[in-house]
Amino acid sequence: MTGATGGVGTVAIALLTAVGFKVAAATGKSSEEQFLKQLGAVTVLDRAEFGEPGKPLQKERWAGVVDTVGSHTLVNACAQTRYGGAVAACGLAQGMDFPATVAPFILRGVSLLGIDSVMAPKQLRMTAWEILSLDLDAGALDSIAREIGLGEVIAAAGELMDAHVRGRVVVDVNR
């Protein structure tokens, strides 16, 4: 899991752990290691290990990857994915570029899956929410999410841009 302390990352760690996967979490916030392990991460890695250009094919480390970062981090995730593995890309925090080769896809049969949360049909969304309601521990959500009022959005946006937010920030527009 790249971008492990963000909203997608924290939920993904809790969900993947709940359904039996061993999760490695990559983050730039070493101070959040204990939090990530409480969510279920077995290993916490420094994101710097993935953020620079790497070889087209690297040592096979992952059966699958959820990437919220993009750019070189996504490329390295693909290059380190095992034969027949899959990489789900759902973010671009590091950038929209994809400076890669086709080597992981041709030589290892790696699948790159784009995750769309904007155009997904309603029935697909309903199925996803049903799965989440069954597999995601509500207690984990309590440690992941923080609720704020509409008047707190500007300050929270500054925290987010300064990388001082972990998990989800939910805005209650009635507060």
Side-chain angles (χ1 to χ4, degrees), residues 50 58-62 76-82 108:
F50 306 96
Q58 300 170 33
K59 180 180 177 184
E60 293 176 283
R61 298 174 74 180
W62 321 116
N76 286 316
C78 292
Q80 294 175 15
T81 298
R82 293 183 202 154
R108 291 192 182 150

Side-chain angles (χ1 to χ4, degrees), residues 95-109:
M96 288 180 50
D97 60 322
F98 187 60
T101 71
V102 296
F105 311 110
I106 294 174
L107 299 176
R108 291 192 182 150

Side-chain angles (χ1 to χ4, degrees), residues 2 50 65 67 69-79 87-91 94 97-98 100 112:
T2 67
F50 306 96
V65 177
D67 174 66
V69 179
S71 192
H72 293 293
T73 298
L74 175 57
V75 171
N76 286 316
C78 292
V87 178
C90 59
Q94 188 178 39
D97 60 322
F98 187 60
L112 178 58

Side-chain angles (χ1 to χ4, degrees), residues 116-140:
D116 165 44
S117 63
V118 176
M119 301 301 289
K122 183 177 181 180
Q123 186 54 49
L124 184 58
R125 292 169 188 261
M126 298 301 288
T127 301
W129 283 111
E130 179 66 25
I131 292 168
L132 285 172
S133 73
L134 297 172
D135 293 333
L136 187 59
D137 176 25

Side-chain angles (χ1 to χ4, degrees), residues 4-6 9-11 13 29-41 44 140-145 166-168:
T5 58
T10 52
V11 171
I13 291 167
K29 300 175 184 173
S30 59
S31 62
E32 298 291 351
E33 181 172 355
Q34 190 59 36
F35 169 70
L36 293 170
K37 287 187 173 181
Q38 287 172 343
L39 288 177
V44 177
L141 283 178
D142 290 339
S143 69
I144 292 170
R166 81 171 183 201
R168 284 252 177 250

Side-chain angles (χ1 to χ4, degrees), residues 43-54:
T43 306
V44 177
L45 306 164
D46 186 341
R47 73 175 172 208
E49 183 178 337
F50 306 96
E52 298 297 324

